[in-house]
Amino acid sequence: MTIALQYCHITVNDPDEALTFYRDALGLEVRNDVASGDFRWVTLGSASQPGLEIVISEPHAGRSQADGDALQELLTKGVLPNIVFCSDDLDATFEKLLESGAEVLQEPIDQPWGPRDCAFRDPSGNMVRISQAPKA
């Protein structure tokens, strides 16, 4: 038996605005763009991990009004769980995101527990960390 992570959901205010960060700045490829009523969700992934995708969607997509409202409130507060990507060249990834206009939360630093990382906010306020494994 094997088990692997397949999807990770990221709630955003506007999928088109989020694509400027996840597709254009981070370089993920759009794998699916699905309309569903008044909403849509977009799946993106990296060529280096073909079986893993992130799904971006709005708070009310596929949820009750009350649940969507609660999720929107958490998104607005910026307290939804963060997501962590890894890069084989953290400094180049940082510069690319910086040039895109993304909000920097932390410049690249060496963490005492090993990796070198940095942090940004996506256009909806989600914290996105980029990490690079320590060199052997």
Side-chain angles (χ1 to χ4, degrees), residues 15 24 32 89 106 113 123:
D24 303 339
N32 211 348
D89 188 341
Q106 175 203 299
W113 56 89

Side-chain angles (χ1 to χ4, degrees), residues 5 9 13 29 43 58 65 103 106 123 125:
L5 182 62
H9 288 258
N13 288 318
E29 59 190 35
T43 60
E58 297 167 80
Q65 185 66 42
E103 179 185 355
Q106 175 203 299

Side-chain angles (χ1 to χ4, degrees), residues 55-74:
V55 182
I56 58 173
S57 63
E58 297 167 80
H60 292 89
R63 296 179 182 89
S64 70
Q65 185 66 42
D67 289 346
D69 290 349
L71 195 51
Q72 179 67 64
E73 185 176 340
L74 294 173

Side-chain angles (χ1 to χ4, degrees), residues 33-45:
D33 191 336
V34 180
S36 178
D38 293 336
F39 301 99
R40 72 187 239 248
W41 69 87
V42 180
T43 60
L44 302 108

Side-chain angles (χ1 to χ4, degrees), residues 110-133:
D110 294 320
Q111 296 291 357
W113 56 89
R116 179 172 171 77
D117 71 359
C118 64
F120 288 86
R121 284 211 188 277
D122 75 7
S124 297
N126 294 298
M127 180 190 292
V128 177
R129 300 193 72 84
I130 314 293
S131 179
Q132 181 175 1

Side-chain angles (χ1 to χ4, degrees), residues 48 85-93 130-133 135:
S48 65
F85 291 94
C86 62
S87 171
D88 61 354
D89 188 341
L90 179 67
D91 293 318
T93 303
I130 314 293
S131 179
Q132 181 175 1
K135 294 180 180 160

